């Protein structure tokens, strides 16, 4: 806030009234009342000027305060905008990572399914091999029986 402006005392100057008494240009002709009225008017004018100056100073201080607040708010808005861009970038990265992860999981599931299928086929082939070996043994036994 601006400090109020205080007026310095005004020194009384002789007021020359050339129009009412043109012959007395070098001598003061006002009465004491007129001089006091003139002094009051000057004092009031000074007070009015000081009031205006104080109001202007206060308005300037308020304007400076508002401008500072505006700068702070703009800085905050800029920071929020930067944070939003950063979050958006991170979200895009996470979405990509999720897609990659889903693709890898699908490939893993398919590989697992293929492995299970291959194991089943291997077990079936093993059973067929054992069955064939039994048949071979049976045939060998029959051949030896026929030879004997």
């Amino acid at each position: 806030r601006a400090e109020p402006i205080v007026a310095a005392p005004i020194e009384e100057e002789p007021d020359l009234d050339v129009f009412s008494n043109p012959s007395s240009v070098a001598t003061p002709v006002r009465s004491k009342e007129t001089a006091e009225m003139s002094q009051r008017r000057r004092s009031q004018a000074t007070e009015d000027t000081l009031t205006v100056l104080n109001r202007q100073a206060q308005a300037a201080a308020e304007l400076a305060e508002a401008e500072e607040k505006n700068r702070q708010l703009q800085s905050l808005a800029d920071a929020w905008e930067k944070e939003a861009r950063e979050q958006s970038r991170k979200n895009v990265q996470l979405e990509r990572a999720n897609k990659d992860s889903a693709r890898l999981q699908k490939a893993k599931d398919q590989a697992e399914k293929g492995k299970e299928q291959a194991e089943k086929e291997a077990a079936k082939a093993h059973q067929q091999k054992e069955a064939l070996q039994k048949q071979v043994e049976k045939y060998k036994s029959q051949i030896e029986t026929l030879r004997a």
Side-chain angles (χ1 to χ4, degrees), residues 40-73:
R40 279 194 296 268
R41 278 189 298 233
R42 281 194 302 266
S43 293
Q44 185 61 46
T46 301
E47 286 179 31
D48 292 346
T49 302
L50 289 175
T51 301
V52 167
L53 289 173
N54 283 332
R55 285 182 185 159
Q56 287 175 342
Q58 184 177 2
E62 289 172 359
L63 177 63
E65 216 174 277
E67 287 173 343
E68 177 60 25
K69 185 72 170 177
N70 188 35
R71 279 190 292 276
Q72 290 172 354
L73 290 173

Side-chain angles (χ1 to χ4, degrees), residues 75-148:
S75 175
L76 188 57
D78 291 344
W80 283 344
E81 186 178 335
K82 182 180 178 183
E83 181 65 23
R85 281 193 305 269
E86 183 66 20
Q87 288 300 323
S88 178
R89 186 186 61 76
K90 286 180 182 179
N91 286 345
V92 167
Q93 286 178 337
L94 286 174
E95 286 173 3
R96 285 185 195 142
N98 285 340
K99 285 180 183 177
D100 290 345
S101 177
R103 195 172 347 105
L104 289 173
Q105 186 62 43
K106 186 177 179 181
K108 181 181 174 184
D109 291 346
Q110 286 177 342
E112 195 66 35
K113 189 177 179 182
K115 179 183 172 187
E116 288 174 6
Q117 185 66 30
E119 286 173 351
K120 284 181 185 177
E121 288 178 10
K124 189 176 181 181
H126 182 70
Q127 286 175 349
Q128 287 176 348
K129 178 184 170 187
E130 286 180 354
L132 287 175
Q133 282 178 342
K134 282 183 184 178
Q135 270 188 336
V136 167
E137 289 298 321
K138 183 180 173 184
Y139 290 144
K140 280 184 183 178
S141 169
Q142 286 177 354
I143 292 173
E144 287 200 15
T145 304
L146 289 174
R147 282 188 187 166

